[in-house]
Amino acid sequence: MAPVPQEELPILEALINIRNRLTVLKKDRGDFIKAHDVLNLYHQTVKQVTKLNDIREEQPPHKNRVDTTLSDVFSLLSLFFLTIGKTKECPATYCQISSIRQLLDHMNESAVYNESDLAPFQRRLDELREIVRSDKESGKHPIAMTKLLDRQLAGCDNILASMKESLSEISVELIPIHERLVTLRRQLVALAAKDNFSKTELKPIQEELRKIDSKRVDGKFLGPGGSSVPTSQALCSSLLEECFEIAQEIKAREDSKNVPFGLKPIYDRLSEMRAELENLVLTRRWSLRETDLWNYTVRLQEIDKMRVDGKFVDTEGNLPTGQYVLLYLLRRCYGLIYRLLSSSEPVSEELMPIANKLSTVKKCLNEVLKYGGPFNPRDLYPVCYFPFLSCYKSKLGHQNLKCVAQYQLALFKIDSMRQDGKFMGPDDSVPEGQGVVLAHLKECHELVEMLKEAMNETEEEEGEEGEDVIYDDDEEDEEDGYKQADGPPLFSACRKIQHDVDNLYFWGKCYTTK
């Protein structure tokens, strides 16, 4: 890496200061991240980038510490933009483009991919390019920022084009064999990464590999009728040999029961990270702050830099067995990070608890609709979250039928948090994601209305049939010391259990939920 020129030193100092402030902000879990804090640091960064561009226009650029520090700063800023819900602005695309670049580099290095693997990356790059183009045309972000992202996108496009060109060289006759070998190789490395596996899992893969190998004549795959020798023999043959090699390594490792001693520390670190990231994929709605992914990215890059000519070596510089396992775990971790980044919702951290609660209410209401009616107030009494009512059995025999009143109470509480129709942050700011949250709220209200209509239809049918079913809850309420309260329909029916409801997580205050 080239030394930092004297004229770039002030820029480097400013960028290091910004990176330190972003790191401190990332570690602060006691409060929500404020949008104005992130935007302030973003504008300071853009100012330094503009200065750097002015300096480097006069001389050929050489990659130095300024570039690596700037990359760290933009990666952190990009994660912060995702955290505050600004997912549709170009700074938020930086970390996603970098993640795609890492995955494409690894796929290109392994040469194990097909058209169906590249298509999702192409679609995502097109979506990110559209975000950058929109911001460029609107002038929402400086030209220096959009130029940087255009260069990153162009780099990904070049790798994709090279990978597609490699696939285009495969003859039509060998495409099915190539795609099947790619699938089998992935199954093998996934099997190799398991701590314990059954030999019965390996046997069918080996048998299929032997069947593919039997199609070769004198080491070559033949075309239809055996009269021609299709091109791209080397690619398919090398992939087949690699599959056999991995299968043999799995059998050898099964005999030794351990990853080679020299690679054990790396294996343990990657396995731990994979487990943590897989857990985040499952619980991201409740536990993920996008800036947390920075630590995983840095740790993976450190491990990636340990490779020599694409391979992991031990302390003595030797190449132990178990390379495929480590590379699989490394790429799996990169893939999980990309999955978490691309699934980030355009809702700020402050509104995420409300969005999660509304999503839960919507799913529950859909479940109630799925079970169908007929409903009456007694059927729709709370039974699923209150043990003292769990013994109640509805007409349908479904003991845990969710109640409309309960969900209407939840919606009433969430509605009451709005000020002038908007959800406000603790500092009276307007967090990102208002449209998404309000859309969820509207859908929930519509589902409640549908259930109430089903109840009314049931009552009318019972009236026509002369069946008078009377539930006199007023006397029970008075005996228990509760009085009917004014509010939305069915709200009063839940009033007497409100003190229990308030103690549940489901009804917890949104702004104190982490």
Side-chain angles (χ1 to χ4, degrees), residues 186-362:
R186 285 180 181 156
Q187 291 175 359
L188 283 167
V189 292
L191 199 61
K194 286 185 178 181
D195 291 330
N196 296 300
F197 68 91
S198 171
K199 290 183 178 180
T200 56
E201 297 179 81
L202 179 61
K203 188 175 179 180
I205 300 176
Q206 286 181 306
E207 288 177 354
E208 189 166 357
L209 288 173
R210 292 189 190 103
K211 285 181 182 179
I212 295 174
D213 191 26
S214 66
K215 295 178 181 179
R216 293 195 294 176
V217 177
D218 296 330
K220 295 182 179 180
F221 292 101
L222 301 179
S227 58
S228 62
V229 179
T231 57
S232 63
Q233 293 286 329
L235 182 60
C236 291
S237 295
S238 62
L239 191 53
L240 178 61
E241 295 301 328
E242 192 175 351
C243 287
F244 277 121
E245 185 179 335
I246 298 171
Q248 290 300 320
E249 185 173 315
I250 291 174
K251 290 180 68 177
R253 190 168 65 85
E254 176 64 13
D255 295 336
S256 64
K257 296 290 183 182
N258 281 311
V259 173
F261 179 78
L263 299 182
K264 194 70 168 64
I266 301 174
Y267 174 81
D268 291 340
R269 288 174 65 186
L270 287 172
S271 296
E272 182 184 356
M273 273 192 281
R274 183 184 68 164
E276 291 174 2
L277 288 168
E278 286 177 344
N279 184 56
L280 278 177
V281 169
L282 295 175
T283 62
R284 61 185 172 81
R285 277 187 164 275
W286 301 274
S287 61
L288 176 66
R289 178 187 266 188
E290 282 81 354
T291 51
D292 295 338
L293 298 177
W294 167 252
N295 296 332
Y296 292 104
T297 303
V298 171
R299 286 156 62 188
L300 285 174
Q301 288 174 350
E302 288 174 357
I303 293 174
D304 212 348
K305 289 176 182 177
M306 293 175 160
R307 296 194 295 157
V308 178
D309 295 329
K311 303 289 184 181
F312 290 99
V313 297
D314 57 20
T315 52
E316 297 177 358
N318 300 319
L319 291 176
T321 58
Q323 299 289 329
Y324 296 113
V325 177
L326 297 186
L327 287 173
Y328 167 77
L329 290 173
L330 180 62
R331 289 160 187 167
R332 174 68 174 163
C333 290
Y334 276 133
L336 289 169
I337 288 176
Y338 169 67
R339 182 176 172 183
L340 288 166
L341 289 173
S342 59
S343 62
S344 181
E345 298 182 25
V347 179
S348 70
E349 187 183 27
E350 294 160 304
L351 292 187
M352 191 55 75
I354 301 177
N356 289 339
K357 290 178 182 179
L358 286 172
S359 178
T360 303
V361 171
K362 186 167 68 174

Side-chain angles (χ1 to χ4, degrees), residues 484-502:
Q484 291 285 349
D486 296 330
L490 296 176
F491 176 82
S492 57
C494 278
R495 186 64 180 173
K496 61 182 178 179
I497 54 171
Q498 183 178 352
H499 64 292
D500 290 323
V501 173
D502 287 335

Side-chain angles (χ1 to χ4, degrees), residues 455-505:
M455 287 175 56
N456 293 334
E457 290 174 3
T458 303
E459 290 174 359
E460 290 174 4
E461 290 174 3
E462 290 178 350
E464 292 174 1
E465 295 173 3
E467 296 178 5
D468 297 324
V469 182
I470 301 174
Y471 298 104
D472 190 357
D473 291 334
D474 293 342
E475 293 180 4
E476 295 178 10
D477 293 343
E478 291 172 2
E479 289 174 3
D480 293 338
Y482 292 93
K483 187 178 179 181
Q484 291 285 349
D486 296 330
L490 296 176
F491 176 82
S492 57
C494 278
R495 186 64 180 173
K496 61 182 178 179
I497 54 171
Q498 183 178 352
H499 64 292
D500 290 323
V501 173
D502 287 335
N503 292 329
L504 295 174
Y505 167 77

Side-chain angles (χ1 to χ4, degrees), residues 31-36 348 350-351 417-432 434 511:
D31 198 4
F32 293 116
I33 294 172
K34 306 294 189 302
H36 60 80
S348 70
E350 294 160 304
L351 292 187
M417 294 176 182
R418 292 196 289 169
Q419 299 177 21
D420 298 327
K422 295 180 180 179
F423 294 98
M424 307 300 290
D427 57 349
D428 293 329
S429 61
V430 181
E432 290 287 330
Q434 300 285 330
Y511 294 127

Side-chain angles (χ1 to χ4, degrees), residues 101 104 108 125 129 151-165:
R101 176 66 182 262
L104 290 176
N108 194 28
L125 285 172
R129 186 178 290 103
R151 284 197 297 270
Q152 277 199 312
L153 287 167
C156 291
D157 287 337
N158 291 336
I159 297 175
L160 263 179
S162 173
M163 295 169 77
K164 287 180 179 179
E165 187 178 352

